[in-house]
Amino acid sequence: MSVRLTWLVGCVESVLRMRFYKLSEIPIGSDDQVFKVPSRGGFIWVSLYFGIGMALLWFGISGAKIYGLKIPRGLFFYGGAAICGLLGRAAWWNWRARLKPTNWLLRCNGSGVIIKYRSYENWRFPAEDVQAVGFDYSEVAEIRKSRERRDAPSLGGSRRNQTQEELTFLVFHLVNTDTSALEAHLQAEQKAEPPNGRWKFWDYPVEVLPGGIVQVRWSFSAGYTIHPSLDTAIEYIGRYVKTGVAESSKVDLTYRKNLTPEEADANILKLAKSGDKLGAVKLTRQVYGSTLSEAVEFVERLEVGG
């Protein structure tokens, strides 16, 4: 009897065990529903920035006049063209990443879901790295939508400057609340470096919360949005698991004098993990009076649990 019980326990544990994948190991089926960042929006931004930059350059070369603005003509036209060119180049990199086959966040079919926790923008990272986690539906107790409205530090110079942001998440409540293995993989991803000194994007769309909760960032007011919609994902996965009540919350992540060091660090980490690295750096400088380099180093150390 004890042997049979041990066998049953082993079967249950095997069912409730998350699986980790390299890209080449991910099972892909013809019936997969795939959710990713759409490429169309990226092309629009590339066209807009380069179009404005070319127009400013043309006006500068053709000798167009500036009416009512006390700005040197060369600074207005050529400086503006240079800034738009830099923005256009960044938009080009982002659009290029959206066109890659690595641009996806969630795959699901009748058996379960696979979440890619490596950002699509870090497609230059080694493909042989483990970068996705899979769950059978038997491992998921519940899913729900979560919306968070936040006050975050803006890029302005004043300490009281803030910006309103809205994020939405697909939240998985797991049956097995031990997420230590996933947390270890997420920390390894944060420590990963691109080959040949290439640029690294500090974008981490997946976060683990206490109690066996995996939170997947679906949209961000700054322009990051996954398609098809979050409602489509919940409707699809809801065929197989329980769907919970949607939740909304509001948080203040701006500088406040009454913040304890623990609260400040928690807010800095929340900003960084949600993709707002600049906001995290600014808040660090406001709280601790750090230099820019010290703040960047502090945020990066905080992200990897240092």
Side-chain angles (χ1 to χ4, degrees):
M1 188 68 177
S2 61
V3 174
R4 180 177 176 82
L5 181 60
T6 302
W7 177 80
L8 288 172
V9 171
C11 289
V12 171
E13 288 180 344
S14 66
V15 170
L16 299 180
R17 187 178 299 124
M18 62 185 71
R19 294 162 304 286
F20 296 93
Y21 299 100
K22 303 176 183 178
L23 281 182
S24 60
E25 299 171 340
I26 294 173
I28 298 176
S30 58
D31 60 338
D32 285 0
Q33 178 75 51
V34 182
F35 299 86
K36 63 182 182 178
V37 180
S39 60
R40 181 177 57 185
F43 176 74
I44 292 173
W45 284 110
V46 171
S47 302
L48 179 64
Y49 286 131
F50 279 129
I52 295 175
M54 292 298 293
L56 289 171
L57 185 61
W58 170 255
F59 287 139
I61 294 173
S62 62
K65 295 182 179 180
I66 302 176
Y67 298 97
L69 294 177
K70 296 181 179 179
I71 301 175
R73 179 176 163 278
L75 177 63
F76 182 81
F77 288 118
Y78 298 122
I83 292 173
C84 287
L86 292 174
L87 292 173
R89 186 181 182 188
W92 166 260
W93 286 339
N94 181 270
W95 182 50
R96 186 182 179 190
R98 295 186 186 200
L99 296 175
K100 296 292 180 179
T102 49
N103 173 23
W104 61 274
L105 175 66
L106 180 74
R107 308 183 75 96
C108 51
N109 52 35
S111 301
V113 300
I114 298 178
I115 304 168
K116 189 164 78 71
Y117 50 79
R118 171 166 291 176
S119 170
Y120 75 98
E121 294 192 282
N122 285 324
W123 59 272
R124 292 185 178 88
F125 280 42
E128 60 270 18
D129 290 350
V130 175
Q131 53 190 283
V133 59
F135 305 103
D136 290 336
Y137 291 126
S138 58
E139 299 177 74
V140 182
E142 180 183 283
I143 60 168
R144 60 177 171 83
K145 177 197 292 187
S146 176
R147 177 180 288 110
E148 181 181 290
R149 298 178 185 274
R150 63 169 59 167
D151 293 333
S154 73
L155 298 182
S158 171
R159 290 193 169 210
R160 285 179 283 187
N161 280 353
Q162 63 184 43
T163 181
Q164 301 288 328
E165 298 173 345
E166 181 172 312
L167 297 89
T168 57
F169 303 92
L170 174 58
V171 181
F172 293 85
H173 292 257
L174 303 182
V175 174
N176 183 0
T177 59
D178 181 9
T179 56
S180 56
L182 177 55
E183 292 177 58
H185 279 280
L186 293 181
Q187 286 194 2
E189 176 64 19
Q190 292 169 7
K191 293 178 181 179
E193 294 294 337
N196 303 322
R198 292 180 178 272
W199 186 262
K200 176 178 181 176
F201 290 89
W202 292 87
D203 177 32
Y204 306 111
V206 179
E207 184 179 359
V208 174
L209 304 179
I213 297 174
V214 178
Q215 185 168 267
V216 181
R217 188 181 71 231
W218 207 264
S219 67
F220 189 20
S221 58
Y224 177 104
T225 303
I226 301 297
H227 285 273
S229 68
L230 177 53
D231 289 336
T232 300
I234 290 177
E235 179 183 357
Y236 186 97
I237 302 173
R239 304 173 190 172
Y240 307 99
V241 301
K242 178 183 176 183
T243 302
V245 178
E247 295 183 354
S248 297
S249 60
K250 184 174 182 179
V251 296
D252 186 355
L253 302 179
T254 58
Y255 173 77
R256 303 189 304 280
K257 291 183 178 180
N258 60 344
L259 282 176
T260 65
E262 293 76 16
E263 291 172 333
D265 289 355
N267 288 353
I268 292 168
L269 186 60
K270 188 174 184 66
L271 285 165
K273 286 193 172 183
S274 66
D276 189 2
K277 182 83 176 285
L278 293 177
V281 169
K282 178 170 182 179
L283 183 58
T284 301
R285 299 189 68 186
Q286 291 173 335
V287 172
Y288 296 110
S290 312
T291 64
L292 179 59
S293 59
E294 290 172 342
V296 171
E297 182 180 351
F298 179 84
V299 171
E300 293 177 354
R301 188 169 64 249
L302 199 63
E303 284 184 304
V304 296

